């Protein structure tokens, strides 16, 4: 193993919080051709009748909650930082999908707003390559902007999708993962940017599959493949079923 590889692994070990309680476990090796990979899963039960599942988290309707808490309290964005993030999200949707979110012609035909994932979904990171992750995993907080198509006839797209139509129920995302590594005052935050590679279609049962590009300041560009297929338990309770595999880079490269 060369010096560069040793240094990189040491940095990863520190940033991902190797802890004494997990010292007996073997590190998960990085798949050949990749620099890093992670596996996130969700298996909590959502109460559709509970709009406020945790202190400060409000406006929940199933999987998604109002995103103000995530932006202010978790990401620590003040008014100026949030305005900058909003502008970045709007520019992304226009560049990639040709959708100007403030277009008067789209009023009532799309929705554009902040979201965060319901903490009761119990979204957690269980595997992170070259690190030791406890069996309970580490909490994943995520949120940002979601653009949804409301028009029953869909909307015409531009940008990278010129000539195509996004049907009703299509969703596109721009936001952050914020993974809490460790416990208490010593916990670190692992932050990544995610942005939809293409529109995703929410099915009648609420299931959806997403493909997202990732950006991390150390690992560079990556890729996430997300699947959500929550299962109803009662009229108001839903069993969360979420799986997400993240890789850096997007595709394996020759060594």
């Amino acid at each position: 193993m060369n010096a560069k590889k040793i240094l990189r692994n040491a940095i990863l070990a520190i940033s991902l919080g190797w802890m004494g309680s997990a010292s007996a476990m073997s590190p998960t090796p990085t798949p050949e051709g990749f620099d890093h990979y992670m596996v996130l899963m969700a298996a909590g039960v959502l109460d559709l009748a509970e709009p406020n599942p945790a202190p400060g988290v409000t406006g929940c309707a199933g999987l998604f909650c109002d995103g103000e808490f995530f932006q202010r309290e978790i990401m620590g964005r003040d008014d100026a930082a949030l305005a900058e993030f909003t502008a970045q999200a709007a520019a992304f949707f226009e560049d990639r999908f040709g959708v100007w979110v403030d277009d008067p012609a789209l009023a009532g035909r799309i929705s554009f707003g902040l979201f965060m994932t319901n903490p009761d979904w119990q979204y957690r990171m269980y595997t992170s390559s070259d690190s030791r992750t406890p069996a309970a995993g580490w909490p994943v907080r995520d949120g940002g902007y979601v653009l949804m198509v409301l028009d029953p006839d869909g909307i015409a797209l531009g940008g990278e999708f010129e000539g195509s139509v996004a049907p009703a129920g299509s969703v596109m995302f721009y936001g952050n993962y914020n993974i809490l590594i460790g416990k208490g005052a010593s916990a670190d935050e692992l932050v990544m940017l995610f942005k939809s590679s293409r529109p995703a279609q929410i099915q009648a049962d609420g299931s959806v599959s997403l493909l997202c590009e990732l950006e991390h300041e150390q690992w560079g560009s990556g890729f996430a493949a997300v699947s959500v297929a929550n299962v109803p338990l009662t009229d108001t309770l839903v069993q969360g079923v979420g799986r997400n595999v993240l890789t850096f880079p997007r595709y394996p490269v020759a060594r």
Side-chain angles (χ1 to χ4, degrees), residues 95-151:
D95 290 344
R96 172 148 298 171
F97 302 110
V99 178
W100 177 34
V101 296
D102 293 322
D103 186 350
L106 293 177
R109 302 178 63 206
I110 64 168
S111 66
F112 172 72
L114 290 171
F115 81 96
M116 71 172 289
T117 299
N118 192 323
D120 282 351
W121 203 44
Q122 292 296 307
Y123 202 15
R124 303 181 78 84
M125 181 187 78
Y126 289 98
T127 299
S128 183
S129 60
D130 294 324
S131 69
R132 298 181 174 100
T133 304
W138 299 121
V140 178
R141 294 88 57 85
D142 71 334
Y145 275 100
V146 55
L147 188 158
M148 177 178 287
V149 178
L150 306 177
D151 191 324

Side-chain angles (χ1 to χ4, degrees), residues 131-179:
S131 69
R132 298 181 174 100
T133 304
W138 299 121
V140 178
R141 294 88 57 85
D142 71 334
Y145 275 100
V146 55
L147 188 158
M148 177 178 287
V149 178
L150 306 177
D151 191 324
D153 296 324
I155 63 168
L157 299 179
E160 298 175 16
F161 294 86
E162 185 72 40
S164 63
V165 173
S170 295
V171 287
M172 293 146 269
F173 294 91
Y174 183 93
N176 295 109
Y177 293 117
N178 185 307
I179 303 173

Side-chain angles (χ1 to χ4, degrees), residues 171 173 196 198-201 208-212 223-228:
V171 287
F173 294 91
S196 289
R198 62 190 67 178
Q201 182 69 29
V208 63
S209 295
L210 308 170
L211 299 177
C212 292
F223 182 69
V226 189
S227 63
V228 177

